[in-house]
Amino acid sequence: MSFIINYSSGIAIVLALISFVSIAFEKRITSFLISLTTVLFGSFIFFYAFYKMTGFDVLDVYIKGLMIIGEGLILLVVMSIVIVTQESKKKTG
Protein backbone atom coordinates (compact mmCIF):
# COMPACT_ATOMS: atom_id res chain seq x y z
CA MET A 1 0.00 0.00 0.00
CA SER A 2 2.89 2.35 0.62
CA PHE A 3 3.87 2.07 -3.05
CA ILE A 4 0.45 3.36 -4.13
CA ILE A 5 0.51 6.23 -1.66
CA ASN A 6 4.07 7.23 -2.53
CA TYR A 7 3.43 7.24 -6.27
CA SER A 8 -0.20 8.37 -6.24
CA SER A 9 0.56 11.67 -7.98
CA GLY A 10 2.38 9.86 -10.78
CA ILE A 11 -0.44 7.35 -11.13
CA ALA A 12 -2.97 10.20 -11.39
CA ILE A 13 -0.89 11.94 -14.07
CA VAL A 14 -0.65 8.71 -16.08
CA LEU A 15 -4.43 8.31 -15.83
CA ALA A 16 -4.90 11.88 -17.08
CA LEU A 17 -2.57 11.29 -20.02
CA ILE A 18 -4.39 8.09 -20.94
CA SER A 19 -7.65 10.01 -20.79
CA PHE A 20 -6.37 12.66 -23.19
CA VAL A 21 -4.97 10.03 -25.54
CA SER A 22 -8.29 8.20 -25.57
CA ILE A 23 -10.14 11.40 -26.46
CA ALA A 24 -7.63 12.01 -29.26
CA PHE A 25 -8.51 8.59 -30.69
CA GLU A 26 -12.23 9.41 -30.20
CA LYS A 27 -12.82 6.81 -27.51
CA ARG A 28 -15.27 8.90 -25.50
CA ILE A 29 -16.57 6.27 -23.14
CA THR A 30 -13.03 5.23 -22.27
CA SER A 31 -12.07 8.81 -21.46
CA PHE A 32 -15.06 9.20 -19.14
CA LEU A 33 -14.35 5.89 -17.42
CA ILE A 34 -10.72 6.85 -16.86
CA SER A 35 -11.79 10.23 -15.46
CA LEU A 36 -14.19 8.51 -13.09
CA THR A 37 -11.45 6.06 -12.16
CA THR A 38 -9.23 9.01 -11.26
CA VAL A 39 -11.93 10.41 -8.97
CA LEU A 40 -12.43 7.00 -7.35
CA PHE A 41 -8.67 6.56 -6.92
CA GLY A 42 -8.47 9.90 -5.11
CA SER A 43 -11.42 8.96 -2.92
CA PHE A 44 -9.78 5.65 -2.09
CA ILE A 45 -6.57 7.36 -1.01
CA PHE A 46 -8.46 9.96 1.02
CA PHE A 47 -10.59 7.42 2.88
CA TYR A 48 -7.69 5.03 3.37
CA ALA A 49 -5.81 7.79 5.16
CA PHE A 50 -8.91 8.64 7.17
CA TYR A 51 -9.40 5.12 8.50
CA LYS A 52 -5.97 3.47 8.56
CA MET A 53 -3.27 6.10 9.11
CA THR A 54 -2.19 8.12 12.13
CA GLY A 55 0.28 10.88 12.77
CA PHE A 56 1.42 13.71 10.56
CA ASP A 57 1.52 11.57 7.41
CA VAL A 58 -2.26 11.69 7.30
CA LEU A 59 -2.30 15.35 6.30
CA ASP A 60 -0.03 14.68 3.33
CA VAL A 61 -2.18 11.81 2.12
CA TYR A 62 -5.39 13.85 2.63
CA ILE A 63 -4.01 16.60 0.44
CA LYS A 64 -2.88 14.12 -2.22
CA GLY A 65 -6.31 12.51 -2.23
CA LEU A 66 -8.10 15.84 -2.56
CA MET A 67 -5.79 16.94 -5.36
CA ILE A 68 -6.42 13.72 -7.27
CA ILE A 69 -10.18 14.05 -6.79
CA GLY A 70 -9.98 17.61 -8.12
CA GLU A 71 -7.90 16.47 -11.08
CA GLY A 72 -10.48 13.82 -11.92
CA LEU A 73 -13.32 16.34 -11.73
CA ILE A 74 -11.44 18.77 -13.97
CA LEU A 75 -10.86 15.92 -16.42
CA LEU A 76 -14.59 15.19 -16.46
CA VAL A 77 -15.39 18.82 -17.26
CA VAL A 78 -12.73 19.10 -19.96
CA MET A 79 -13.79 15.83 -21.57
CA SER A 80 -17.44 16.86 -21.63
CA ILE A 81 -16.55 20.22 -23.23
CA VAL A 82 -14.40 18.50 -25.87
CA ILE A 83 -17.16 16.00 -26.65
CA VAL A 84 -19.81 18.71 -26.94
CA THR A 85 -17.63 20.71 -29.35
CA GLN A 86 -16.91 17.60 -31.42
CA GLU A 87 -20.60 16.78 -31.66
CA SER A 88 -21.53 20.33 -32.61
CA LYS A 89 -18.91 20.27 -35.38
CA LYS A 90 -20.33 16.98 -36.68
CA LYS A 91 -23.88 18.38 -36.83
CA THR A 92 -22.89 21.59 -38.60
CA GLY A 93 -20.27 20.07 -40.93
Side-chain angles (χ1 to χ4, degrees):
M1 189 64 198
S2 65
F3 176 80
I4 293 174
I5 291 174
N6 289 337
Y7 295 106
S8 62
S9 300
I11 294 169
I13 290 171
V14 168
L15 286 172
L17 290 175
I18 292 171
S19 181
F20 283 119
V21 167
S22 65
I23 199 70
F25 288 118
E26 296 184 2
K27 305 289 184 191
R28 297 175 185 158
I29 301 298
T30 306
S31 66
F32 272 124
L33 289 176
I34 292 172
S35 300
L36 288 173
T37 304
T38 306
V39 172
L40 290 174
F41 179 65
S43 300
F44 168 73
I45 290 174
F46 182 79
F47 288 119
Y48 177 80
F50 185 72
Y51 287 112
K52 297 287 184 180
M53 297 181 78
T54 59
F56 291 111
D57 292 334
V58 175
L59 186 61
D60 179 45
V61 178
Y62 279 158
I63 292 171
K64 281 183 183 179
L66 289 175
M67 285 174 41
I68 293 170
I69 290 170
E71 178 183 340
L73 293 175
I74 289 170
L75 280 173
L76 282 172
V77 170
V78 168
M79 294 304 150
S80 61
I81 290 171
V82 167
I83 289 171
V84 166
T85 56
Q86 285 179 350
E87 287 297 320
S88 66
K89 286 180 184 178
K90 281 185 181 179
K91 288 184 180 180
T92 59

